């Protein structure tokens, strides 16, 4: 790496699925983008010494550690990247910010609104000292999604009437899929709502620049009991025991939303949509046009120009792989698609650039708090069976 | 036509868009299907003598008339086909049933639950005298939709978890599109809810065989005032005046629904989804598989078999044009698609067959009442901002 | 029907699959379009008296007959519609033209170039007496195809570089599918080349307005022997005997083509593309844009505007169901798709209008001859294994 | 990296577009796969000392050099990865093999059959000393393509009847796009034929395991003169001069092919398919099913099981992102797509594994020679306008 640039020494907390994705971002971005800082993958932190050392070697971190508290206060760390389950985000993030470290926290920002508020408060205070913070809503860095934002910002859809967002997966349709921390309230707080709905809400707010003012929700657990957790790898599990335990989060959550602008929103998240693997879909319909995205075709943006003459009007299938599209010029020629992890490299690029420029990366912890408040309102609405102000 | 068959003498009330579609069905079915009765297109009824006579000649009816009351009591009429706007359905249908005529009524069955109840009551009474009645939820007769029902009935999707239904159009996105009876509460009662939502709800109930027990809804009018009605043809309008009048129905209606089985439903209807022309979409996700349909690709059914091995699992694009698919053997070879009006011929076939067989055609007025009660609950929910039992 | 209009009295020869489709066109067009002539479905002709009478009743013809020679010279016949297999087209068409009858002949126009030349010659002579003739390349009347032609005519694609056309079916992949006249050279002359390739070539010439100057081809028979013909209905067959006979036409034909303009063509036709039911696909790539059609999605035209800015450039999925699209205003509102038979009604409309106007309907017999010459060159090229001038 | 593993010290020759892609593979594979060797990115070689040193730093190579001859004989190099234009492949590869280095050569393997023969001969000789060689037909390592191969190998499609392959790009539709080495015969030998057609042919042979025995071809140059080469980046160019020079390769090449098994092939490659960015498409139709792939939707494989009952038969859209699909378990959870460069990591994994295991990686230089012979026959066929035996 170019050692004439100032260093950015990174510590990553957590090294499971999200840690692997973040590592790929940290490893790759410096080779693809001309970053203003010299990224150094200093240390990865986990509870189990042997496993985290193995992860360090595999994922490309210089060293490993087991005590995050010690790491976040080390002098040779500039940035803390939090990839643990949501229940520990607030504690780690606040400590890191108070230690003067820049923070990237994986979504969902926190498990509760109270935690998110504490984090946003800590971020605001740290900001006065030039400390940067960012929530890892990585989908904003998928080129097609970023292109959608650009078009909407330029007025392509006009006044927004509808936001239609779904995040459909199917990995626990089988009632024998074992419990994991993702199905337990004490670790995950919610099921698809926090895991998937956070993406839907963030993308909807990112695209529209609007605010959700009230929601009405339904949450349902289809399979109330499952085998006790077995081995798992990423999102894929295999039962290893006949004991059963209660599923304490929802299997599906859906809600209607009113936006400040008067737009109508319909959101749905589930892990029971058989055949839908990772269908994060969002469509915005406005007075001048529409834009739609589906993660299962992640290099494509569908756009409709409502002012086009009828002979050629219709949804365009835009391959978001042109050099002029966001992030793409650093990668491959037109038509050579990007994948899941490229957005993590793009995220690193934006974060590192903001830190070097002394500007605030986006989405901020304040942005993350807004999402958390929507999720909190959804939970409250489902619990008390009525519309809930955000 | 074959005059050795008993005659079925039909009177049609109304002759606009829906009357044209029904006429195409009555004209074509006898040439495509081997019907058990000799269908005779006896008389078409409208308020304006000259126009209805012109319609009779154009649409293929033997004669025209202006007084539906007289027509429904004529001895030479066996069946009354009601294609007027929804506010007159109940009165005509009840009179026809009481006069001993079989009745086909276009959807929505009625504008209010009270009207639908009166109609269902009249149908039940008439039924004891062998009089048949049916609601024109014609989409049940689209081969792909009927195939979907058959698969679900055979257990293809297993236990249903999700019903996701949308009916998206865009014909009034332009705020200059003039008022029509479809935008006025006194004629239409509701906007897309009754016009489009009725299809969504009926298809959802048809596919699942389930019941909706409660709903929570949002309804919104984006453009509260429009030019006074100009000329219109089908669903396409052109302003002829600068006067403006209030839109008294919603522009969009969406709702969450709970099914008796525990399934979760998300429904959305709108006339403001720029670029979506006639997107009646429904997807059912179950424990064993999923099925999806989109009217904008009306000859296709997408099905996913969740028990398939992963090397070939995915949504199948089934061209619902095989001779073994519902209704298709009477039409064209595989791959030669059918269109909007074919479902009206298929509907005629089912109705005429049921009458000849002395069985009840489906959907019955009781079925239509169930749909109407869901729509009524949606309206009530939106008005009082909370969950509403159906 | 309006009897103040001059009558057009039609005789149809043949009443199988194509006869049924033509009948639906003749029956329906007068009710949908405001035709300038009063179409009368006078007589249908077939070899078997009983069967043709049954067909007359079913398909809506006033009477039946068994001797086409007599019928084509009857004074009360104005137009002869030829729906028989290709080997009899020339004889019937020439006789009808010489008798002063307008002629519509189903594609392929003829089985050989010599026959087509005789027909075109007869048509040219008859034309001097005001007799009209037309080849039934009905796909030109599919709205999406007609819209494609309109766009290309307006310069949407610029200079054409590529024509890529396929017609893929799969109805004889099973080697037990019995022989039919379509697999026998003496009746059909060729296999998919004449049956499907004629559509490809005609659509390519219709869209581009160009000429094919030379071809090089490959033809292959994968299954050389099949069970002797059993029952068949439309394109679907069922074996009734264990005897086998030789397949004397090709199962697949493909060819490269050079156009007069310098465009490159690639054509492929087959009945062995498992899973492709009726995939007539054509794509034209030009200097300014591209247009693509697939019959399996027959209400859609895909268009690409190469001058569009990269943020929104891509193929548009145009639902060819707008009132401003060709033929559509007579039918249903936007998004309500048309099917296979609607193109036959549209064809009747164009033919009847041309006859009333005293203009030449299109495609003419001369146009059909051009297609036939291309097919003939393909056969010759395959036989002698080299490039063949058309 | 794990230094207990034996080292594999790599030299890469060339560092443009393909060099960047290969570097991403070498950098990433060790972090994703558990490789048996310790990959070291030792040296990158280019003609321009300053630029290649910059590339070394950017792409992650330990050092840079300008003399490939010296590098390929260095003792501290185990493998030479050749990413230069095709005209230098043979010389470098033969030298490296003779120096006892394993060789990975980017496609097309060579510019001429003679060169490819020399390379295959050198590879065969080197193999006796345990030296491995492989051609970089990286698309074999796209999971969907590899899954297609697996299915065909397992008999999913049965006897192959049709191979339909296209590679459509549009980056030189604009006649002002400048000349580059890719448009000059002395560097590239052919245009899309070698660049794109090599992929089509290799994928066709990889999937079917069949051989092409003869071809007939057409090649065309639509724009014979272009501005002299300006700056270029990847496949995107910008003119910097008004001088013009001749395009000496074809702009489009298409050919019909006969396979040894009796299957029919249709191939088309072009850089003039406006709107098609990277449409490498291949479809195989067999007696039992069909399989189709399009690079513009690279995480998807479409498969049709011809033995399925008609109610659910159709092309399945298989998201090739399941853990059981080739290569996927090392990457991300189901539905999280991979991109262009992942196939280069997968290729490194296969190559390194073969070297460690002492087995021959695939495709071999002999495989590459087979492809080259097909391309050579296509060139010869176009030149002499007739069928050409391969």
């Amino acid at each position: 790496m170019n050692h004439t640039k100032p260093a950015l020494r990174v510590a990553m907390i957590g090294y499971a699925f999200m840690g692997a994705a973040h590592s790929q971002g940290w490893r790759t971005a410096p080779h693809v983008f001309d970053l203003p800082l010299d990224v150094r993958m200093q240390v990865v932190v986990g509870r189990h010494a042997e496993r985290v050392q193995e992860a360090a070697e595999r994922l490309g971190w210089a060293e490993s550690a087991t005590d995050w508290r010690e790491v976040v206060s080390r002098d040779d760390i500039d940035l803390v990247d939090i990839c643990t389950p949501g229940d520990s985000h607030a504690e780690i993030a606040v400590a890191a910010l108070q230690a003067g470290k820049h923070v990237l926290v994986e979504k969902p920002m926190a498990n509760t609104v109270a935690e998110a508020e504490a984090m946003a408060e800590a971020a605001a205070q740290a900001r006065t000292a030039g400390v940067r913070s960012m929530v890892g809503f990585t989908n904003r860095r998928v080129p097609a999604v970023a292109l959608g934002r650009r078009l909407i910002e330029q007025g392509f859809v006009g006044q927004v009437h509808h936001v239609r967002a779904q995040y459909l997966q199917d990995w626990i349709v089988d009632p024998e899929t074992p419990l994991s921390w993702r199905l337990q309230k004490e670790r995950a707080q919610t099921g698809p709502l926090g895991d998937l709905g956070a993406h839907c809400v963030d993308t909807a707010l990112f695209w529209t620049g609007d605010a959700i003012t009230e929601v009405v929700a339904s949450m349902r657990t289809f399979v109330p009991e499952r085998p006790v957790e077995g081995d798992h790898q990423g999102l894929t599990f295999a039962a290893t025991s006949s004991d059963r335990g209660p599923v304490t989060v929802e299997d599906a959550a859906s809600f209607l939303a009113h936006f400040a602008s008067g737009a109508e929103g319909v959101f749905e998240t589930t892990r029971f949509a058989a055949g839908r693997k990772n269908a994060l879909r969002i469509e915005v319909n406005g007075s001048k046009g529409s834009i739609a995205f589906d993660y299962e075709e992640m290099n494509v943006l569908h756009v409709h120009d409502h002012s086009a003459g009828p002979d050629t009007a219709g949804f365009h299938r835009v391959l978001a792989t042109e050099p002029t599209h966001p992030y793409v010029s650093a990668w491959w020629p037109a038509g050579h698609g990007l994948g899941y992890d490229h957005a993590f490299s793009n995220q690193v690029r934006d974060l590192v650039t903001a830190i070097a420029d002394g500007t605030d990366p986006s989405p901020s912890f304040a942005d993350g708090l807004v999402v958390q408040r929507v999720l909190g309102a959804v939970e409250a609405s489902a619990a008390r069976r009525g519309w809930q102000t955000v």
Side-chain angles (χ1 to χ4, degrees), chain A:
Chain A
M1 253 43 51
N2 189 325
H3 298 288
T4 66
K5 295 173 181 176
L8 181 76
R9 298 158 298 182
V10 180
M12 185 174 80
I13 323 295
Y15 56 88
F17 165 33
M18 290 316 306
H22 280 236
S23 297
Q24 172 76 354
W26 289 114
R27 279 197 315 263
T28 302
H31 298 290
V32 172
F33 298 100
D34 185 15
L35 297 183
L37 302 177
D38 178 24
V39 169
R40 297 194 197 155
M41 297 171 69
Q42 205 72 34
V43 57
V44 59
V45 183
R47 278 172 298 192
H48 190 292
E50 203 173 320
R51 288 191 204 151
V52 69
Q53 177 53 27
E54 185 280 327
E57 286 167 24
R58 179 168 39 86
L59 298 176
W61 296 88
E63 42 171 319
S64 67
T66 57
D67 182 350
W68 66 259
R69 285 170 211 278
E70 188 196 351
V71 167
V72 303
S73 59
R74 271 167 53 170
D75 284 348
D76 67 339
I77 295 301
D78 302 305
L79 184 147
V80 176
D81 179 5
I82 305 172
C83 295
T84 54
D87 58 338
S88 57
H89 285 189
E91 192 178 12
I92 302 173
V94 170
L97 288 165
Q98 288 176 347
K101 312 305 183 193
H102 307 300
V103 173
L104 168 64
V105 63
E106 179 54 28
K107 56 59 57 184
M109 181 185 183
N111 273 4
T112 66
V113 171
E115 290 168 350
E117 284 172 339
M119 293 167 75
E121 172 62 22
Q125 286 183 1
R127 184 177 179 278
T128 62
V131 175
R132 307 295 162 188
S133 48
M134 182 180 179
V135 183
F137 283 118
T138 321
N139 289 327
R140 292 188 178 203
R141 270 79 194 187
V142 173
V145 174
L147 177 60
R149 167 61 184 154
R150 182 159 89 192
L151 286 169
I152 293 173
E153 211 163 17
Q154 291 168 350
F156 184 83
V157 305
Q159 170 75 21
V160 174
H161 294 126
H162 289 288
V163 176
R164 191 173 303 112
Q166 302 161 355
Y167 204 145
L168 312 178
Q169 295 187 339
D170 72 354
W171 54 281
I172 56 172
V173 170
D174 181 351
E176 295 307 302
T177 307
L179 280 171
S180 74
W181 69 265
R182 289 180 183 274
L183 305 187
Q184 295 174 321
K185 191 175 183 66
E186 61 273 24
R187 301 298 304 283
Q189 178 66 19
T190 58
L193 177 63
D195 183 22
L196 309 181
H199 282 301
C200 288
V201 170
D202 181 66
T203 309
L205 300 183
F206 174 57
W207 269 18
T208 62
D210 203 347
I212 292 174
T213 56
E214 58 175 358
V215 295
V216 68
S218 178
M219 294 168 76
R220 175 92 54 171
T221 305
F222 299 115
V223 174
E225 248 190 9
R226 290 182 176 274
V228 168
E229 183 174 4
D231 292 332
H232 64 97
Q233 184 184 24
L235 295 179
T236 312
F237 300 83
T240 54
S241 154
S242 64
D243 291 349
R244 292 184 169 262
V247 173
T248 47
V249 299
E250 83 284 359
D251 286 333
S254 51
F255 57 99
L256 309 181
H258 291 155
F259 285 79
S261 67
E264 293 277 299
V266 178
F267 292 79
E268 186 182 7
T269 67
T270 181
R271 293 163 172 166
F272 272 74
R276 304 302 179 189
K277 298 301 173 184
N278 202 38
L280 169 56
R281 300 165 173 176
I282 180 164
E283 176 166 330
V284 168
N285 305 127
S287 58
K288 295 185 178 171
S290 295
I291 300 196
F293 172 79
D294 183 343
Y295 200 98
E296 290 195 358
E297 205 180 15
M298 69 179 288
N299 289 294
V300 172
L301 189 72
H302 291 275
V303 309
H304 166 73
D305 177 358
H306 205 62
S307 67
D311 278 9
T312 60
F315 276 82
H316 311 199
R317 186 179 187 270
V318 180
L319 261 182
T321 59
E322 293 296 311
T324 55
H325 293 166
Y327 306 108
V328 176
S329 65
W331 295 101
W332 314 115
H336 294 69
L338 302 186
Y340 172 68
D341 52 77
H342 294 84
F344 289 85
S345 294
N346 297 342
Q347 180 172 270
V348 163
R349 178 242 184 221
D350 288 347
L351 175 58
V352 171
T353 303
I355 289 171
D357 292 353
T359 58
D360 287 315
S362 171
S364 67
F365 277 24
D367 294 327
L369 173 57
V370 167
V371 173
Q372 207 67 41
R373 283 184 171 141
V374 173
L375 303 183
V378 168
E379 274 190 273
S381 165
R384 70 178 192 73
R385 290 178 46 83
W387 284 91
Q388 174 73 37
T389 302
V390 175

